Amino acid sequence: MPVPGLGGREVEQRAKFAVQPHPAETIAVQFQCLESRADVDANSSWEVCVYTDGSKIEDKVGAALSIWVGGVEAKTKKLSLPSYSTVYQAELYALCEAARFAHNSSRSTFGVFSDSRSALETVADSGSAHPLALETRSHIKNSRNQGKIINLYWVKAHAGLQGNERADQLAREAALHSKRKPDYDLCPVSFVKRQIRDQSLREWNGRYVNGEAAATTKVFLPDAIAAYKIVKDLGPKAVLTQVLTGHGGFSEYLYRYKCKGSPSCICDSTTEETLLHVILSCPVYEKNRFDLEQQLGCKLAKESIKEIMADLEKRNGANLLRRVEPREYKRTETEI
């Protein structure tokens, strides 16, 4: 199904019920976990051992099969996937191709080895409607109908197992060097969600940057996309929200909403007490400001605040947002 905004890519979806096998025709598929080299050796006496792997490196994706007969690699197969694919898809596709190979082979017994437990669990889950899992189970069922035996195994990655290391090498080569058309190109839902999220952030940022509101917030966070990551790291807090917006216990803000009789600061009756005045120039906080500048190694100014916020080390070390806490204020009868 083409998705608008995704260049006509077809999205990988759950298979429809009409194409899924009837429950009475569903086969049980299991896999065994091989924890040690001894376990692997004890389960390698098949006519054919197929090692599968998937890889994503430098934003490129590939998968591969290393097929062994009589303890010797007899055949290899490299598989190409587009850059938007996930490693999970690559691992699943490699398992599917291994089951297809067994179905089309003239031999009778097969051991299929993968280091992706999530892919194996998807294949073994009879309720999974993932299209690759359904196709894999279909190949296994057809092979069993031919009298063949296919056993699935999970093995540890990078544990020195020759076949597994070879499949990993081939998958990397397929990812980095394949120039041909992808063997499997359905777009994962995770990619679609990421595209929608990025598009939403870009639209949000355009409105934020070009809008006239949130003048105080823009001093701290001039870019909404960068702000999304920073605020998520900080976590929402009452005082933090007041400081980032200027909507707190500052005389200018309280006076605007008739919660205080004057907008002036205690340092000077002719100066409005705003958040930026308190942080940047109020003499009452001169010592706090000096100590903070020494800790940061830079002059505290309106232009430098955004740089402090963008720098994780300075942001956490300076604790800027905790140094300026809006004062509690209670309205008196005369101010009401």
Side-chain angles (χ1 to χ4, degrees):
M1 179 183 71
V3 176
L6 294 178
R9 299 183 180 99
E10 187 174 351
V11 179
E12 183 182 74
Q13 301 180 75
R14 287 172 53 91
K16 297 179 180 179
F17 287 107
V19 301
Q20 294 184 37
H22 189 278
E25 299 176 353
T26 301
I27 63 169
V29 177
Q30 297 178 336
F31 68 93
Q32 182 179 348
C33 293
L34 307 180
E35 300 287 347
S36 66
R37 181 61 180 268
D39 290 337
V40 175
D41 292 340
N43 290 276
S44 298
S45 57
W46 305 100
E47 285 186 71
V48 182
C49 292
V50 184
Y51 296 88
T52 70
D53 207 351
S55 177
K56 185 162 190 172
I57 182 171
E58 298 180 10
D59 205 32
K60 299 177 181 178
V61 187
L65 277 62
S66 177
I67 302 166
W68 293 62
V69 179
V72 178
E73 186 179 63
K75 185 178 180 181
T76 64
K77 186 173 185 179
K78 297 179 183 179
L79 306 165
S80 175
L81 289 88
S83 60
Y84 53 76
S85 298
T86 63
V87 176
Y88 172 70
Q89 279 183 307
E91 298 277 11
L92 259 180
Y93 186 59
L95 281 173
C96 183
E97 286 300 300
R100 188 197 309 276
F101 167 80
H103 177 219
N104 295 331
S105 175
S106 59
R107 297 181 181 269
S108 301
T109 64
F110 303 84
V112 178
F113 301 81
S114 171
D115 59 17
S116 174
R117 186 157 185 164
S118 58
L120 286 165
E121 287 176 345
T122 301
V123 171
D125 179 8
S126 59
S128 172
H130 193 291
L132 286 174
L134 283 174
E135 187 175 351
T136 303
R137 290 197 293 270
S138 175
H139 290 314
I140 293 174
K141 178 183 176 181
N142 292 334
S143 296
R144 289 180 181 177
N145 291 338
Q146 295 173 347
K148 297 176 181 177
I149 298 174
I150 301 177
N151 276 21
L152 305 180
Y153 299 100
W154 172 82
V155 295
K156 289 183 178 180
H158 310 298
L161 184 61
Q162 190 175 11
N164 180 251
E165 295 294 336
R166 176 60 173 157
D168 177 69
Q169 176 192 349
L170 292 168
R172 286 172 173 268
E173 291 176 1
L176 290 172
H177 306 303
S178 179
K179 304 296 182 183
R180 71 175 189 272
K181 181 181 177 181
D183 298 286
Y184 182 82
D185 62 358
L186 292 186
C187 183
V189 174
S190 60
F191 176 79
V192 178
K193 289 181 177 179
R194 187 165 60 250
Q195 291 293 102
I196 294 172
R197 176 179 168 275
D198 290 345
Q199 183 178 348
S200 299
L201 284 174
R202 286 193 296 271
E203 184 174 343
W204 176 27
N205 190 48
R207 295 180 182 181
Y208 176 77
V209 172
N210 298 321
E212 297 180 359
T216 300
T217 306
K218 289 175 185 176
V219 173
F220 293 92
L221 306 165
D223 181 89
I225 296 177
Y228 179 81
K229 299 177 182 178
I230 293 172
V231 173
K232 187 170 64 172
D233 178 55
L234 291 171
K237 300 178 182 67
V239 172
L240 171 64
T241 302
Q242 293 179 62
V243 172
L244 288 178
T245 60
H247 297 176
F250 306 102
S251 295
E252 181 274 334
Y253 178 74
L254 294 171
Y255 175 75
R256 196 193 318 168
Y257 291 97
K258 297 182 171 55
C259 294
K260 195 171 183 180
S262 169
S264 62
C265 182
I266 57 175
C267 72
D268 183 358
S269 60
T270 62
T271 303
E272 290 188 345
E273 186 193 56
T274 63
L275 170 69
L276 293 179
H277 167 70
V278 171
I279 292 178
L280 300 177
S281 57
C282 183
V284 175
Y285 299 99
E286 186 66 39
K287 184 179 184 306
N288 302 73
R289 191 178 304 112
F290 176 79
D291 292 342
L292 179 58
E293 289 175 342
Q294 296 305 305
Q295 184 176 350
L296 292 173
C298 68
K299 183 71 175 175
L300 191 60
K302 188 174 180 179
E303 294 73 24
S304 65
I305 291 177
K306 62 183 179 182
E307 297 173 2
I308 296 169
M309 290 295 293
D311 188 309
L312 177 62
E313 186 176 347
K314 285 185 177 181
R315 186 170 74 237
N316 292 340
N319 230 355
L320 171 65
L321 300 179
R322 294 181 185 174
R323 291 172 182 262
V324 182
E325 295 196 4
R327 296 187 294 276
E328 290 186 5
Y329 180 77
K330 294 182 180 180
R331 295 193 296 175
T332 64
E333 290 184 4
T334 56
E335 291 172 328
I336 296 174

